[in-house]
Amino acid sequence: MTMNECHEWKPQQEGLQQIIQLLKESQSIDNTVQKNVQKKLEELNKYPDFNNYLIFVLTKLNTQDEATRSLSGLILKNNAKAFFDKFPDYCQEYIKNECLTCIGDQSQLIRATIGILITTIVSKSGLATWPQLLPNLSQFMDSDNYASCEGAFGALQKICEDSHEQLDSDPSRPLDILIPKFLKYFRHSNAKIRSHAIACINQFITFKSQALMNNMDLFLENLFVLADDTDLEVRKNVCKALVMLLEVKVDKLMPHMNAIIQFMIIRTQDEDETVALEACEFWLVLADQDICYEVLKPHVNNLIPVLVRCMKYSELDIILLKGDIEEDQNVPDREEDIRPRFHRTTRMHGTEQKSDDQMNEDEEFDADKDDDSVSEWNLRKCSAAGLDVLSNIFHDEILEVLLPILKETLFHQNWEIKESGILVLGAVAEGCFQGLTAHLSQLVPYLIQCLSDKKPLVRSIACWTLSRYAHWVVHQPPEAYLKSLVEELLKKILDSNKRVQEAACSAFATLEEEAGCELVPYLPQILDCLVVAFRKYQAKNLLILYDAVGTLADSVGSNLNKSEYIEKLMPPLIDKWNSLRDEDKNLFPLLECLSSVATALQTGFIPYCEPVYKRCLTLVKQTLELSELHSKHPEQYEYPDKDFMVVALDLLSGLAEGMGSMMTPLIANSEILPLLYQSMKDVVAEVRQSSFALLGDLTKACFENIKPALNDFIQILSKNLNPEFISVCNNAIWAIGEIAIQFGPEMSQFMGLFLEPLVEIINRPNTPKTLLENTAITIGRLGLVCPQQVAPFLQSFIRVWCSSLRSIRDNEEKDSAFRGICHMITLNPAGVVNDFVFFCDAIASWNNPKADLKEMFYKILNGFKNQVGDENWRQFFDQVPPQLKQRLSNLYAI
């Protein structure tokens, strides 16, 4: 069909009426009607002209209501997204022409719908297939008719959002024309047009489009003109632009930074919370810039009180959070209240650090993890996160302004202000810790007292803030604070308010991690409380409870293996275990919990071991079978949820770690090895990661059972030494080390598969710490069992090897690795000569090496000293750092 024929397309009245009726019916809330409509739509989609009818209703039927017309456009948008390139040419042309003809419709809803349709077509087919689009939209922008101008801008904004890369890379360089044109409209008399213009340009800031970079000075000039605009959308887009510019063009902002900071402090207090939130993001981005301290220092005392005020719950927040509801423990959770849950990080074998007093760098700041009813990210959370990061830059310097605020807010009669003060105290717990230490002896008892506040939101935030100071609490005499904190948190775990239950349970899990075995004296009370919680909790908080139980097991370890504790803890866990079906995703947190419990209880888990073991194998087998069926018949079988496999494999690891050689009969009489082999080949990285962890744990527990399949297992391990998959690679390397210890000299037949990749990984720049340490340990272990094959490589890894292992605690893994390195040095002393000071530093990291290992160190040190002679030794030793020199002299008399 030609263009003229396309324009002559006319709908048949009968067909048009049927489609209008269908569109009306589709707005029904009746499920049966909806299903019938869906069926008819699928039938109509077989006819190409159906899409012409849809665009006709959208653009031509002014007699119909806007909702029906817009719905027609949205159905067409969905069709275009899926099949536009399959529409006949005449349909494509008709739709495109109608879009451009009616972009200036008098209805704002219809203009917006046409804009959505236009950007969908561009995303699907590309700008090149619609060469007249941008010139036409550009022409409409200049129209005196507001509807045409706004419609064109609305469409362009959507195109800029969805297709900025296309626009920037298009050979015709459309942005060279559009960017200056957008800038011109920054000063348009209509606020909607101004807002569109900024929003269009904002899409190209982080992308660093050359056309925008060429006009950057003009952009900034126009942006600053809009700083005091009265329209909230304009203000919001100005703030967005400045935040993005701060990330990518901070040099351009530097001459104006004082004024920008002052502006952003004002906008963070904007009466409209959406504007204030955009402005508040500025402080988080600024904190990531090297210039933060220097540029913000003159303003920080003005900013801190603003952030504190923004941390107070709004009236709407309190309504949405149902903050005035005291008791809701008996109200069942709705399914939509329970967030989609992902299992915890699968087992990743790492080394124990000497110093574990730093907060987890990956820990996300979130004092309101339970605020499901409020938006995931709001002004309160952004302000709290901003205060947190700034306190880590300015540290105790901000206490001069913050302490008087805390004094006022923490003890305020208004509970909302008091609650915000407690949040502030938690937010600065890390950054201002040194300066606050002197006050904690008064603040911690006050926070414990706040756990009994009559307002649930005060009780819940007190739980969180106390968790931020748990590290300090556990380093004081137990009777001082720990005892009362444990007792009061346990009461809050059984609170009548579900939000408080959740906050208390999460806080207690943090306390468990910090306190470790310090909690052993309180185990009877802790277990009594957790058992009651199992009966009391609704579905959502049950997930947090599983985590608290698992963390307790990880923290106190084998101290949990007492009959009176097992009799309390296991029945509720087994009741839950028996009540859940194999396909129920609520198994995930329970299996994770049981993995930790099994590891801690060791032989105490024997009565529960066999049924748990068999069910885990069933879960792995079922998932593998479903995966196979899906690959063969994807239209018949859904892709299975591999998390079932991951948590089952992790629990099997927990059993192997806890039960040791007592697993032998179970392994001998089951199909675990073929299932493990299949799991190790899975395409999903998390499955392989857990499989390799299980292989390592089984190797330690029951090596003779594993030995017949070792050749196949080792071949797979050697193919997974890709550090791009950090956790998979880490566990594969750890498993190789465990196999080496058990297999001994027979490991030599496999050395060619992984020795060189391991040396490459340990020398790779920016290798994550845990991967580096595990690689070093495995290289050391390979050197222990096959020193002749590893020693020739010594010079290529010894320096980084020593640096990697100097920070880990004394343990069996470190012991075996250092024995290996000593064997290699004995065989190839020249390999360590150039880096001998690093070896000295590494052996000095030992606190209490076994006597025979210490003797090895002594022989190597004195052998080196004798070999080089007194004068060379004196020169070498003079260059050794004083602290290391002193330690070596004390330990090895050199």
PDB file of all heavy atoms in Angstrom, residues 664 697-708 710 738-744 746:
ATOM      1  N   THR A 664      28.990 -40.850  57.273  1.00  0.00           N
ATOM      2  CA  THR A 664      29.423 -41.920  56.360  1.00  0.00           C
ATOM      3  C   THR A 664      28.306 -42.883  55.963  1.00  0.00           C
ATOM      4  O   THR A 664      28.108 -43.150  54.764  1.00  0.00           O
ATOM      5  CB  THR A 664      30.608 -42.696  56.988  1.00  0.00           C
ATOM      6  OG1 THR A 664      31.684 -41.782  57.185  1.00  0.00           O
ATOM      7  CG2 THR A 664      31.061 -43.828  56.086  1.00  0.00           C
ATOM      8  N   ASP A 697      33.202 -29.740  52.303  1.00  0.00           N
ATOM      9  CA  ASP A 697      32.790 -30.221  53.628  1.00  0.00           C
ATOM     10  C   ASP A 697      32.720 -31.751  53.671  1.00  0.00           C
ATOM     11  O   ASP A 697      33.080 -32.364  54.677  1.00  0.00           O
ATOM     12  CB  ASP A 697      31.435 -29.604  54.001  1.00  0.00           C
ATOM     13  CG  ASP A 697      31.570 -28.145  54.421  1.00  0.00           C
ATOM     14  OD1 ASP A 697      32.543 -27.821  55.121  1.00  0.00           O
ATOM     15  OD2 ASP A 697      30.715 -27.336  54.045  1.00  0.00           O
ATOM     16  N   LEU A 698      32.241 -32.366  52.592  1.00  0.00           N
ATOM     17  CA  LEU A 698      32.195 -33.831  52.540  1.00  0.00           C
ATOM     18  C   LEU A 698      33.613 -34.418  52.500  1.00  0.00           C
ATOM     19  O   LEU A 698      33.869 -35.476  53.069  1.00  0.00           O
ATOM     20  CB  LEU A 698      31.404 -34.297  51.314  1.00  0.00           C
ATOM     21  CG  LEU A 698      29.884 -34.075  51.363  1.00  0.00           C
ATOM     22  CD1 LEU A 698      29.250 -34.443  50.031  1.00  0.00           C
ATOM     23  CD2 LEU A 698      29.244 -34.892  52.494  1.00  0.00           C
ATOM     24  N   THR A 699      34.507 -33.724  51.823  1.00  0.00           N
ATOM     25  CA  THR A 699      35.906 -34.173  51.764  1.00  0.00           C
ATOM     26  C   THR A 699      36.504 -34.228  53.171  1.00  0.00           C
ATOM     27  O   THR A 699      37.204 -35.181  53.538  1.00  0.00           O
ATOM     28  CB  THR A 699      36.728 -33.224  50.869  1.00  0.00           C
ATOM     29  OG1 THR A 699      36.179 -33.255  49.545  1.00  0.00           O
ATOM     30  CG2 THR A 699      38.185 -33.641  50.819  1.00  0.00           C
ATOM     31  N   LYS A 700      36.227 -33.197  53.966  1.00  0.00           N
ATOM     32  CA  LYS A 700      36.743 -33.159  55.344  1.00  0.00           C
ATOM     33  C   LYS A 700      36.085 -34.236  56.206  1.00  0.00           C
ATOM     34  O   LYS A 700      36.726 -34.836  57.060  1.00  0.00           O
ATOM     35  CB  LYS A 700      36.447 -31.787  55.962  1.00  0.00           C
ATOM     36  CG  LYS A 700      37.296 -30.662  55.404  1.00  0.00           C
ATOM     37  CD  LYS A 700      36.783 -29.304  55.847  1.00  0.00           C
ATOM     38  CE  LYS A 700      37.069 -29.046  57.302  1.00  0.00           C
ATOM     39  NZ  LYS A 700      36.676 -27.664  57.693  1.00  0.00           N
ATOM     40  N   ALA A 701      34.772 -34.467  55.968  1.00  0.00           N
ATOM     41  CA  ALA A 701      34.005 -35.348  56.855  1.00  0.00           C
ATOM     42  C   ALA A 701      34.163 -36.828  56.498  1.00  0.00           C
ATOM     43  O   ALA A 701      34.321 -37.668  57.392  1.00  0.00           O
ATOM     44  CB  ALA A 701      32.523 -34.962  56.812  1.00  0.00           C
ATOM     45  N   CYS A 702      34.095 -37.156  55.214  1.00  0.00           N
ATOM     46  CA  CYS A 702      34.035 -38.573  54.791  1.00  0.00           C
ATOM     47  C   CYS A 702      34.810 -38.769  53.489  1.00  0.00           C
ATOM     48  O   CYS A 702      34.225 -39.109  52.451  1.00  0.00           O
ATOM     49  CB  CYS A 702      32.590 -39.014  54.572  1.00  0.00           C
ATOM     50  SG  CYS A 702      31.399 -38.293  55.675  1.00  0.00           S
ATOM     51  N   PHE A 703      36.105 -38.559  53.518  1.00  0.00           N
ATOM     52  CA  PHE A 703      36.879 -38.558  52.278  1.00  0.00           C
ATOM     53  C   PHE A 703      36.797 -39.885  51.531  1.00  0.00           C
ATOM     54  O   PHE A 703      36.729 -39.913  50.303  1.00  0.00           O
ATOM     55  CB  PHE A 703      38.340 -38.215  52.569  1.00  0.00           C
ATOM     56  CG  PHE A 703      39.192 -38.177  51.334  1.00  0.00           C
ATOM     57  CD1 PHE A 703      38.978 -37.209  50.364  1.00  0.00           C
ATOM     58  CD2 PHE A 703      40.188 -39.127  51.121  1.00  0.00           C
ATOM     59  CE1 PHE A 703      39.752 -37.175  49.220  1.00  0.00           C
ATOM     60  CE2 PHE A 703      40.959 -39.103  49.972  1.00  0.00           C
ATOM     61  CZ  PHE A 703      40.745 -38.116  49.024  1.00  0.00           C
ATOM     62  N   GLU A 704      36.797 -40.999  52.253  1.00  0.00           N
ATOM     63  CA  GLU A 704      36.788 -42.303  51.582  1.00  0.00           C
ATOM     64  C   GLU A 704      35.530 -42.478  50.729  1.00  0.00           C
ATOM     65  O   GLU A 704      35.557 -43.155  49.712  1.00  0.00           O
ATOM     66  CB  GLU A 704      36.901 -43.443  52.610  1.00  0.00           C
ATOM     67  CG  GLU A 704      38.283 -43.535  53.258  1.00  0.00           C
ATOM     68  CD  GLU A 704      39.406 -43.649  52.229  1.00  0.00           C
ATOM     69  OE1 GLU A 704      39.260 -44.447  51.282  1.00  0.00           O
ATOM     70  OE2 GLU A 704      40.420 -42.933  52.362  1.00  0.00           O
ATOM     71  N   ASN A 705      34.420 -41.881  51.158  1.00  0.00           N
ATOM     72  CA  ASN A 705      33.188 -41.961  50.361  1.00  0.00           C
ATOM     73  C   ASN A 705      33.293 -41.139  49.079  1.00  0.00           C
ATOM     74  O   ASN A 705      32.678 -41.463  48.056  1.00  0.00           O
ATOM     75  CB  ASN A 705      31.987 -41.443  51.166  1.00  0.00           C
ATOM     76  CG  ASN A 705      31.693 -42.306  52.366  1.00  0.00           C
ATOM     77  OD1 ASN A 705      32.268 -42.100  53.416  1.00  0.00           O
ATOM     78  ND2 ASN A 705      30.819 -43.292  52.215  1.00  0.00           N
ATOM     79  N   ILE A 706      34.059 -40.067  49.146  1.00  0.00           N
ATOM     80  CA  ILE A 706      34.170 -39.144  48.010  1.00  0.00           C
ATOM     81  C   ILE A 706      35.211 -39.622  47.003  1.00  0.00           C
ATOM     82  O   ILE A 706      35.100 -39.387  45.805  1.00  0.00           O
ATOM     83  CB  ILE A 706      34.580 -37.729  48.520  1.00  0.00           C
ATOM     84  CG1 ILE A 706      33.572 -37.202  49.521  1.00  0.00           C
ATOM     85  CG2 ILE A 706      34.764 -36.744  47.385  1.00  0.00           C
ATOM     86  CD1 ILE A 706      32.196 -37.019  48.948  1.00  0.00           C
ATOM     87  N   LYS A 707      36.211 -40.331  47.490  1.00  0.00           N
ATOM     88  CA  LYS A 707      37.398 -40.662  46.692  1.00  0.00           C
ATOM     89  C   LYS A 707      37.089 -41.301  45.335  1.00  0.00           C
ATOM     90  O   LYS A 707      37.706 -40.924  44.329  1.00  0.00           O
ATOM     91  CB  LYS A 707      38.313 -41.582  47.510  1.00  0.00           C
ATOM     92  CG  LYS A 707      39.743 -41.626  47.019  1.00  0.00           C
ATOM     93  CD  LYS A 707      40.617 -42.398  48.008  1.00  0.00           C
ATOM     94  CE  LYS A 707      42.045 -42.466  47.501  1.00  0.00           C
ATOM     95  NZ  LYS A 707      42.920 -43.206  48.444  1.00  0.00           N
ATOM     96  N   PRO A 708      36.119 -42.244  45.242  1.00  0.00           N
ATOM     97  CA  PRO A 708      35.874 -42.883  43.938  1.00  0.00           C
ATOM     98  C   PRO A 708      35.454 -41.887  42.851  1.00  0.00           C
ATOM     99  O   PRO A 708      35.674 -42.139  41.659  1.00  0.00           O
ATOM    100  CB  PRO A 708      34.738 -43.874  44.242  1.00  0.00           C
ATOM    101  CG  PRO A 708      34.840 -44.129  45.708  1.00  0.00           C
ATOM    102  CD  PRO A 708      35.324 -42.861  46.316  1.00  0.00           C
ATOM    103  N   LEU A 710      36.459 -38.658  42.725  1.00  0.00           N
ATOM    104  CA  LEU A 710      37.327 -37.479  42.752  1.00  0.00           C
ATOM    105  C   LEU A 710      37.761 -37.003  41.378  1.00  0.00           C
ATOM    106  O   LEU A 710      37.823 -35.804  41.111  1.00  0.00           O
ATOM    107  CB  LEU A 710      38.572 -37.767  43.590  1.00  0.00           C
ATOM    108  CG  LEU A 710      38.540 -37.266  45.038  1.00  0.00           C
ATOM    109  CD1 LEU A 710      39.911 -37.416  45.666  1.00  0.00           C
ATOM    110  CD2 LEU A 710      38.110 -35.807  45.096  1.00  0.00           C
ATOM    111  N   GLU A 738      41.066 -28.507  50.360  1.00  0.00           N
ATOM    112  CA  GLU A 738      40.605 -29.574  51.264  1.00  0.00           C
ATOM    113  C   GLU A 738      40.910 -30.957  50.687  1.00  0.00           C
ATOM    114  O   GLU A 738      41.319 -31.878  51.405  1.00  0.00           O
ATOM    115  CB  GLU A 738      39.104 -29.430  51.538  1.00  0.00           C
ATOM    116  CG  GLU A 738      38.724 -28.211  52.358  1.00  0.00           C
ATOM    117  CD  GLU A 738      39.341 -28.219  53.753  1.00  0.00           C
ATOM    118  OE1 GLU A 738      39.665 -29.304  54.270  1.00  0.00           O
ATOM    119  OE2 GLU A 738      39.527 -27.129  54.327  1.00  0.00           O
ATOM    120  N   ILE A 739      40.707 -31.098  49.374  1.00  0.00           N
ATOM    121  CA  ILE A 739      40.997 -32.383  48.714  1.00  0.00           C
ATOM    122  C   ILE A 739      42.497 -32.682  48.813  1.00  0.00           C
ATOM    123  O   ILE A 739      42.911 -33.819  49.084  1.00  0.00           O
ATOM    124  CB  ILE A 739      40.529 -32.361  47.241  1.00  0.00           C
ATOM    125  CG1 ILE A 739      38.985 -32.338  47.183  1.00  0.00           C
ATOM    126  CG2 ILE A 739      41.063 -33.562  46.479  1.00  0.00           C
ATOM    127  CD1 ILE A 739      38.420 -32.035  45.808  1.00  0.00           C
ATOM    128  N   ALA A 740      43.313 -31.647  48.606  1.00  0.00           N
ATOM    129  CA  ALA A 740      44.772 -31.842  48.665  1.00  0.00           C
ATOM    130  C   ALA A 740      45.205 -32.385  50.025  1.00  0.00           C
ATOM    131  O   ALA A 740      46.023 -33.312  50.113  1.00  0.00           O
ATOM    132  CB  ALA A 740      45.476 -30.507  48.377  1.00  0.00           C
ATOM    133  N   ILE A 741      44.658 -31.830  51.099  1.00  0.00           N
ATOM    134  CA  ILE A 741      45.026 -32.266  52.454  1.00  0.00           C
ATOM    135  C   ILE A 741      44.685 -33.746  52.647  1.00  0.00           C
ATOM    136  O   ILE A 741      45.447 -34.510  53.252  1.00  0.00           O
ATOM    137  CB  ILE A 741      44.297 -31.409  53.514  1.00  0.00           C
ATOM    138  CG1 ILE A 741      44.859 -29.981  53.520  1.00  0.00           C
ATOM    139  CG2 ILE A 741      44.395 -32.024  54.897  1.00  0.00           C
ATOM    140  CD1 ILE A 741      46.308 -29.883  53.960  1.00  0.00           C
ATOM    141  N   GLN A 742      43.537 -34.173  52.122  1.00  0.00           N
ATOM    142  CA  GLN A 742      43.104 -35.563  52.300  1.00  0.00           C
ATOM    143  C   GLN A 742      43.809 -36.522  51.330  1.00  0.00           C
ATOM    144  O   GLN A 742      44.130 -37.654  51.684  1.00  0.00           O
ATOM    145  CB  GLN A 742      41.580 -35.662  52.090  1.00  0.00           C
ATOM    146  CG  GLN A 742      40.757 -34.820  53.053  1.00  0.00           C
ATOM    147  CD  GLN A 742      40.866 -35.309  54.479  1.00  0.00           C
ATOM    148  OE1 GLN A 742      41.094 -36.491  54.732  1.00  0.00           O
ATOM    149  NE2 GLN A 742      40.716 -34.394  55.433  1.00  0.00           N
ATOM    150  N   PHE A 743      44.049 -36.057  50.099  1.00  0.00           N
ATOM    151  CA  PHE A 743      44.557 -36.924  49.037  1.00  0.00           C
ATOM    152  C   PHE A 743      46.072 -37.093  49.131  1.00  0.00           C
ATOM    153  O   PHE A 743      46.641 -38.094  48.677  1.00  0.00           O
ATOM    154  CB  PHE A 743      44.171 -36.325  47.690  1.00  0.00           C
ATOM    155  CG  PHE A 743      43.914 -37.350  46.613  1.00  0.00           C
ATOM    156  CD1 PHE A 743      43.687 -38.691  46.909  1.00  0.00           C
ATOM    157  CD2 PHE A 743      43.897 -36.961  45.278  1.00  0.00           C
ATOM    158  CE1 PHE A 743      43.436 -39.618  45.911  1.00  0.00           C
ATOM    159  CE2 PHE A 743      43.645 -37.881  44.273  1.00  0.00           C
ATOM    160  CZ  PHE A 743      43.412 -39.204  44.588  1.00  0.00           C
ATOM    161  N   GLY A 744      46.747 -36.085  49.705  1.00  0.00           N
ATOM    162  CA  GLY A 744      48.191 -36.169  49.888  1.00  0.00           C
ATOM    163  C   GLY A 744      48.949 -36.173  48.562  1.00  0.00           C
ATOM    164  O   GLY A 744      48.515 -35.557  47.575  1.00  0.00           O
ATOM    165  N   GLU A 746      49.128 -38.114  46.165  1.00  0.00           N
ATOM    166  CA  GLU A 746      48.392 -38.551  44.975  1.00  0.00           C
ATOM    167  C   GLU A 746      47.788 -37.367  44.207  1.00  0.00           C
ATOM    168  O   GLU A 746      47.374 -37.503  43.063  1.00  0.00           O
ATOM    169  CB  GLU A 746      47.267 -39.515  45.370  1.00  0.00           C
ATOM    170  CG  GLU A 746      47.755 -40.865  45.852  1.00  0.00           C
ATOM    171  CD  GLU A 746      46.591 -41.800  46.176  1.00  0.00           C
ATOM    172  OE1 GLU A 746      45.859 -42.159  45.225  1.00  0.00           O
ATOM    173  OE2 GLU A 746      46.407 -42.130  47.356  1.00  0.00           O
TER     174      GLU A 746
END
